[in-house]
Amino acid sequence: MNAPESSAAPRRRTSALAWLLLLVALPLAGALGWRAWQSERDERRAADAEETVRIEALQQRVATLRQGQQAQGMRLQQAEATNRLLRDELLAMGQRAALLEDSVQRLADPAQDAARALRLDEIELLLAQGRQRLLLAGDLQGARSAYALAARLLDALDAPADIDLRQVLADERAMLDALGADPRVAAVARLDAFEAGLDAAAGAPVVAAATPERGATTSAQPWWQRVASRIVHVRRSDQVLVVDAGERAAGLASLRLELSLARMAAERRDHAGYAAALARVRALVPRLWPRSAARDARLRELDAIAALPLAVELPTLGTTLDQLRLQRGRRDDARAPM
């Protein structure tokens, strides 16, 4: 009985010692865990504070950069305004220098400046007269003479700005020299020649018209045909040829009147009236002349006359005059007071 009791006592002591160690270890472990958690929390707080400081520093830097950018933009605006002001002042100085140069030149030789202005006025007048004589009167030779006089006056000027005017005037004179007769004059001449041809052959078609069936009284015809031809004349019912002398004279008068109307339309450069008058002439020709090679030639001549142009096609006419007026306008604007 004593042996079991003695063995149970050490077990109880061991259990009590274990419980005692457990009671001592638990607070110690809790204290260590608490201290570890607090240290970790402190580290996190320190890290957060450091990050906050860094963010604030970055924000301050960004704000500083923005302020610097705004200041730089203001400096650029000021520099641009200054450059614009300097450019305006430079342009004003250049204009003042040009005005001073013109003033000095006029003071140095006022007679020469007045003579140049007078020459330019004469050149402008001659160029305007030449263009008007060509377009309104169809006087090509007069236009060439006016342009030649303008070229002589322009050659007497020695300003550098006159070189372009000389070149343009030379091109325009070459174009006028290469131009043939005025289309209006050529058309009127063709009409006169056509009317003269009608006067030369006025009496021939009557005999031809009156004798295609009946013929002349010759011995080649039988006696009964010669007798019948004095009583009956056979003619086609669809024939439009005028045989009666009075009707033929009226037709010729109408044809000459239409030719006069076509001539007047050509003088006015009225292409529609010109074509209409020639169309009426073409309708009268088959009534006055029988079908023949001569009549076909007259009709072809009428078609050729109707196809003639009436206007002068010169798209570059007046280029020298326009350039001269533009140059003088710019010079007057430069001399105007600021």
Side-chain angles (χ1 to χ4, degrees):
M1 297 298 295
N2 292 330
E5 291 178 358
S6 60
S7 61
R11 290 180 181 176
R12 290 177 182 174
R13 291 176 183 174
T14 304
S15 301
L17 183 59
W19 282 105
L20 181 59
L21 292 175
L22 182 61
L23 291 175
V24 173
L26 285 175
L28 182 59
L32 292 175
W34 175 258
R35 290 184 64 180
W37 179 75
Q38 282 185 346
S39 63
E40 185 179 357
R41 185 182 62 180
D42 294 338
E43 290 177 358
R44 289 180 180 176
R45 287 180 179 177
D48 293 338
E50 187 178 356
E51 292 293 333
T52 303
V53 172
R54 290 179 180 177
I55 291 173
E56 291 178 354
L58 288 175
Q59 290 177 352
Q60 290 179 357
R61 290 179 183 176
V62 171
T64 304
L65 289 175
R66 287 179 179 175
Q67 292 177 358
Q69 184 178 4
Q70 293 177 357
Q72 189 70 20
M74 294 178 63
R75 292 191 189 95
L76 289 176
Q77 292 178 358
Q78 292 177 358
E80 185 177 358
T82 304
N83 291 333
R84 188 182 301 110
L85 181 61
L86 291 175
R87 185 169 59 250
D88 295 340
E89 291 180 355
L90 183 60
L91 291 176
M93 290 176 63
Q95 292 178 356
R96 292 190 186 96
L99 292 175
L100 288 174
E101 183 179 356
D102 293 338
S103 299
V104 171
Q105 185 177 2
R106 287 197 300 270
L107 291 174
D109 195 0
Q112 184 179 1
D113 187 72
R116 174 179 171 79
L118 182 60
R119 288 286 180 87
L120 290 178
D121 290 337
E122 292 178 356
I123 292 171
E124 183 178 358
L125 180 60
L126 288 172
L127 292 176
Q129 287 181 352
R131 183 171 66 175
Q132 291 176 0
R133 295 192 65 162
L134 180 60
L135 295 180
L136 299 180
D139 187 4
L140 181 59
Q141 188 61 35
R144 289 172 179 170
S145 300
Y147 272 76
L149 291 176
R152 291 180 184 176
L153 293 176
L154 188 59
D155 291 337
L157 301 178
D158 54 356
D162 300 330
I163 298 177
D164 295 337
L165 288 176
R166 292 194 190 95
Q167 182 63 37
V168 176
L169 183 57
D171 295 340
E172 202 165 355
R173 288 189 63 193
M175 178 190 62
L176 287 176
D177 294 337
L179 186 66
D182 188 5
R184 178 178 58 183
V185 177
V188 172
R190 293 282 292 273
L191 286 173
D192 293 340
F194 182 80
E195 188 173 2
L198 295 181
D199 294 336
V206 177
V207 177
T211 60
E213 305 286 344
R214 185 170 53 187
T217 56
T218 59
S219 60
Q221 294 180 343
W223 64 269
W224 57 271
Q225 287 186 358
R226 294 197 299 270
V227 173
S229 63
R230 298 179 180 180
I231 302 174
V232 180
H233 174 53
V234 180
R235 188 173 59 182
R236 293 176 57 91
S237 60
D238 58 348
Q239 187 175 2
V240 296
L241 185 66
V242 175
V243 178
D244 185 71
E247 293 181 358
R248 177 173 175 79
L252 288 174
S254 299
L255 189 144
R256 291 189 177 91
L257 178 60
E258 296 296 339
L259 288 175
S260 300
L261 292 176
R263 192 179 294 106
M264 294 173 60
E267 292 290 342
R268 298 192 308 269
R269 301 186 191 275
D270 183 9
H271 193 274
Y274 178 76
L278 289 181
R280 292 191 294 269
V281 172
R282 199 181 193 284
L284 287 173
V285 169
R287 295 180 55 83
L288 299 175
W289 284 275
R291 179 178 299 176
S292 62
R295 190 186 76 174
D296 294 339
R298 292 190 183 95
L299 293 177
R300 288 193 298 270
E301 179 67 14
L302 280 176
D303 294 337
I305 295 174
L308 291 176
L310 300 179
V312 179
E313 298 295 335
L314 293 176
T316 59
L317 184 65
T319 306
T320 309
L321 179 61
D322 296 338
Q323 186 171 353
L324 176 60
R325 289 175 177 174
L326 181 61
Q327 180 178 345
R328 298 190 67 182
R330 290 177 179 174
R331 187 177 181 86
D332 294 339
D333 293 340
R335 289 181 177 180
M338 298 296 295

